[in-house]
Amino acid sequence: MKILLMGNPNVGKSVVFSRLTGANVIASNYPGTTVEYTRGTLKLKGKKIEVIDVPGTYSLTPFSKAEEVARDMFLKENPDLILNVLDSTNLERNLYLTLQILEKKVPTIIILNMWDLARRKGVHLNVKKLEESLGVPVIPVNAVGGEGIIQVIQSIEKILEKKEEHTPSIEKMDDEEKWKFIGKLLLDIQKIEHRHPTLLERLEDASAHPIFGILIALLVAYLTLKSLIGAGEFLIENILDPFFYNYYGPLITRIIESTFPSGPIHDILIGTGYDYMESFGLLTTGVYVPFAVVLPYVSLFYLLLGFLEDLGYLPRLAVLTDNIMHKLGLHGASIISLILGLGCNVPGTFATRILEDERERFIALTLLSISVPCMAQTAVIIGLLGPYGIKYIAMVYGTLLTTYITVGYILNKIMKGESPEIFLEIPPYHIPHLGTLLKKTWTRIRGFLLKAIPFFFLGVLVINLLYVMGIMKILTGLLAPIFSSILGLPREAAATLIIGFLRKDIATGLLAPLHLSPEQLVVATTILAIYFPCVATFVVLAKEIGVKGMIKIGILMVTLAFLVGGIQHLILTNT
Amino acid sequence: MITLKDLKTGEKARVQEIVGGIGLRRRLESLNIRVGKEIRKVSSLPFHGPVIIEVDRCEIAIGQGMAAKVLVEVLR
């Protein structure tokens, strides 16, 4: 048995999916959060039923990769039942897809989601009449709060028992007939009261206003950065560092040294020296960097990102930046992949699927993988350069931003074609629900812990083994001439590029024991950000863009890393 | 009749015609921007930036080029 969840973008399919299956999937307040399908199971009286969360689409005629996934799932998965999720505040548009689904004669349940919001907006619907006209069950639901989900499950049970009795009776219509049908239906079942705009609605208008919108965007950016760095430093200085330096470190050192007083095992496990950023032992740096340096920033970033996502701010940012993005061969909606990429390049890569054409996706992916460092890397950069002052951190990010703009501008000039125009639904603001926000943040943090930490340990282990076996010396020796002459860095810094393929944060951390000058750190962290993606990003990027595209981007990355690093070195040593 | 591009911010209008290929028309229609619909221009970003319109309590941002292909009758 198989159930597909379908509907327009941003109607809350993923929330319904989580409610039905108990699986945690990321849901947000902007169209295009779900770009790939997710499978889950609903247990009904001991029977397991497969439920698939499908990306949102406005019609069965796709205009983007994500919409293509939706159509293909519908046509090829042979679902036994469709749960068609609708936004109650906007039935007219939502019903167009409903009619397209119903005419394919698959049993369907209609879920009128955001029922409470519709009430507040003054939209009154006659569910009974709607049910009669469409000939399929219609259930009002408030998925975020969980109301109506039980009724949905009961209805699923009833239909799956006698599937053949629930084939929709709606006949095929052409587009014009469909809209006419919907228009007539709504006159009958929908009443709309006029309401005065609320404060939140006034804020909606202001944040897409040419002047106020930009002021608000700057304020949002400032507050986000300020609270990210402020809270991150606070956590590290007052909680994590004291814990590691006063309790964990001495304890682990004592335990290991009582068994292995010295020798290679001692060095691999707890490294050399007392600074946990520099010792590079599996149990010292290997634990300290991910948990005390990276985790606080990653957690805070996801909390802040989740808040902005659930509020519905990202699409507004897309509108405001549309202009600039066009100069780079993109349109505003690609800002979403950039922002997700600042957390981790993997979801950032997937987010390019909402873009319409291949040229635009290629540019978006190139810029993302070249000049957008993930939060884990950022955390270590802040840890390394923070003590020398914000100026140096600004140099790294200023360089990356310049690279982003320059590369985008050049690609836009040399690649044939034009960037398509923006076409994006702007959802209303919702005050984020705290429980949902925390749960989503936790889902992402857990994902980070499960997927990143193993690679992190592997990275530290590989570093140790490469050093112990003397291989690192040979490898860095090969890169030494380039490093000293073009970049002004010691040969040991080349080790970061080798480890950077496993994880960028630990590779950046490798710079700590080298005691470089702040200028050298700026060059080293910048080229590390540019030169190649980490293995996790590499895998999804290669899948999204193909081998040929990957080779193109790969060559561009390596060339740019040395070019940009070289220019930085020239400027920094001559000023 | 004027185009959506030339409609003033805050003004309401009724869509009269969509001058463009079937692809564009379908796309606009799937978001309920179609002949006969009443719309309101919410905002318009300078330097050929996007136009935001409201259709049935729902806001949609579209490019200037697309906006220039939607002909409307101003409602007062």
Side-chain angles (χ1 to χ4, degrees), chain A residues 519-572:
Chain A
E519 286 82 9
Q520 284 177 312
L521 279 174
V522 168
V523 176
T525 51
T526 307
I527 59 165
L528 193 55
I530 297 175
Y531 92 104
F532 211 73
C534 70
V535 61
T537 310
F538 175 78
V539 171
V540 290
L541 186 62
K543 216 175 100 193
E544 290 294 305
I545 212 165
V547 179
K548 242 170 123 183
M550 190 62 231
I551 294 172
K552 273 192 222 164
I553 294 188
I555 294 172
L556 194 61
M557 284 170 163
V558 177
T559 322
L560 269 176
F562 290 106
L563 186 69
V564 173
I567 294 172
Q568 262 185 340
H569 172 56
L570 274 179
I571 295 174
L572 286 171

Side-chain angles (χ1 to χ4, degrees), chain A residues 58 61 63 89-90 92-93 123 175 179 192 205 208-210 319-320 322-323 356 421-426, chain B residues 27-32 34 37 42-44 46-47 50 52 56-66:
Chain A
Y58 295 109
T61 319
F63 287 101
T89 65
N90 209 319
E92 184 168 63
R93 193 194 70 203
V123 179
D175 277 357
W179 289 116
I192 295 171
D205 284 1
H209 186 273
V319 172
L320 290 173
D322 186 58
N323 249 325
E356 296 85 350
E421 292 186 68
I422 195 169
F423 190 84
L424 187 67
E425 191 184 341
I426 316 284
Chain B
R27 205 159 177 213
L28 290 169
E29 276 185 359
S30 68
L31 271 160
N32 215 358
R34 56 197 169 83
K37 284 303 291 186
V42 177
S43 175
S44 161
F47 310 113
I52 304 177
D56 286 347
R57 300 163 303 286
C58 177
E59 289 183 11
I60 298 146
I62 62 174
Q64 286 260 334
M66 284 188 211

Side-chain angles (χ1 to χ4, degrees), chain A residues 256-372:
Chain A
I256 300 298
E257 287 190 338
S258 64
T259 336
F260 306 102
S262 62
I265 296 182
H266 167 276
D267 288 354
I268 288 177
L269 288 178
I270 59 170
T272 45
Y274 283 102
D275 192 311
Y276 301 119
M277 191 94 179
E278 299 181 4
S279 63
F280 272 88
L282 211 47
L283 296 173
T284 49
T285 305
V287 176
Y288 177 76
V289 174
F291 289 104
V293 180
V294 174
L295 190 61
Y297 284 108
V298 169
S299 311
L300 288 166
F301 176 82
Y302 280 136
L303 188 66
L304 292 165
L305 172 69
F307 178 82
L308 292 177
E309 277 181 344
D310 289 3
L311 178 68
Y313 188 66
L314 299 189
R316 285 163 176 95
L317 199 57
V319 172
L320 290 173
T321 53
D322 186 58
N323 249 325
I324 305 166
M325 290 311 221
H326 266 285
K327 306 264 185 299
L328 315 182
L330 302 168
H331 66 52
S334 48
I335 195 91
I336 292 173
S337 75
L338 168 69
I339 288 174
L340 292 181
L342 285 169
C344 169
N345 275 197
V346 174
T349 303
F350 284 127
T352 61
R353 288 193 177 183
I354 58 166
L355 302 179
E356 296 85 350
D357 84 17
E358 285 306 312
R359 173 184 185 266
E360 192 189 9
R361 282 190 80 222
F362 180 84
I363 297 177
L365 286 168
T366 308
L367 298 184
L368 176 74
S369 53
I370 285 180
S371 44
V372 180

Side-chain angles (χ1 to χ4, degrees), chain A residues 271-514:
Chain A
T272 45
Y274 283 102
D275 192 311
Y276 301 119
M277 191 94 179
E278 299 181 4
S279 63
F280 272 88
L282 211 47
L283 296 173
T284 49
T285 305
V287 176
Y288 177 76
V289 174
F291 289 104
V293 180
V294 174
L295 190 61
Y297 284 108
V298 169
S299 311
L300 288 166
F301 176 82
Y302 280 136
L303 188 66
L304 292 165
L305 172 69
F307 178 82
L308 292 177
E309 277 181 344
D310 289 3
L311 178 68
Y313 188 66
L314 299 189
R316 285 163 176 95
L317 199 57
V319 172
L320 290 173
T321 53
D322 186 58
N323 249 325
I324 305 166
M325 290 311 221
H326 266 285
K327 306 264 185 299
L328 315 182
L330 302 168
H331 66 52
S334 48
I335 195 91
I336 292 173
S337 75
L338 168 69
I339 288 174
L340 292 181
L342 285 169
C344 169
N345 275 197
V346 174
T349 303
F350 284 127
T352 61
R353 288 193 177 183
I354 58 166
L355 302 179
E356 296 85 350
D357 84 17
E358 285 306 312
R359 173 184 185 266
E360 192 189 9
R361 282 190 80 222
F362 180 84
I363 297 177
L365 286 168
T366 308
L367 298 184
L368 176 74
S369 53
I370 285 180
S371 44
V372 180
C374 67
M375 196 38 63
Q377 198 177 354
T378 297
V380 184
I381 293 176
I382 295 173
L384 282 179
L385 282 168
Y388 300 106
I390 193 96
K391 182 176 111 189
Y392 293 102
I393 300 176
M395 280 183 203
V396 176
Y397 287 86
T399 309
L400 292 174
L401 181 64
T402 313
T403 311
Y404 188 95
I405 294 170
T406 315
V407 174
Y409 186 81
I410 294 171
L411 283 177
N412 186 36
K413 285 270 173 254
I414 59 174
M415 282 177 77
K416 260 190 231 137
E418 264 175 57
S419 51
E421 292 186 68
I422 195 169
F423 190 84
L424 187 67
E425 191 184 341
I426 316 284
Y429 277 152
H430 293 309
I431 302 282
H433 179 265
L434 186 67
T436 316
L437 175 62
L438 290 177
K439 202 171 155 197
K440 168 162 131 175
T441 308
W442 169 240
T443 303
R444 283 172 159 161
I445 294 173
R446 202 186 50 182
F448 166 78
L449 292 173
L450 293 176
K451 284 175 195 148
I453 302 289
F455 275 101
F456 203 92
F457 286 133
L458 183 67
V460 178
L461 191 66
V462 169
I463 292 165
N464 279 294
L465 293 176
L466 288 178
Y467 272 114
V468 171
M469 296 189 297
I471 298 172
M472 197 62 111
K473 219 171 171 181
I474 302 170
L475 290 175
T476 55
L478 290 173
L479 290 166
I482 308 178
F483 263 68
S484 56
S485 62
I486 301 180
L487 305 170
L489 294 172
R491 58 182 282 174
E492 289 83 4
T496 59
L497 296 192
I498 295 154
I499 299 304
F501 185 58
L502 281 174
R503 273 200 72 78
K504 294 272 184 110
D505 44 7
I506 186 152
T508 311
L510 266 179
L511 296 166
L514 302 181

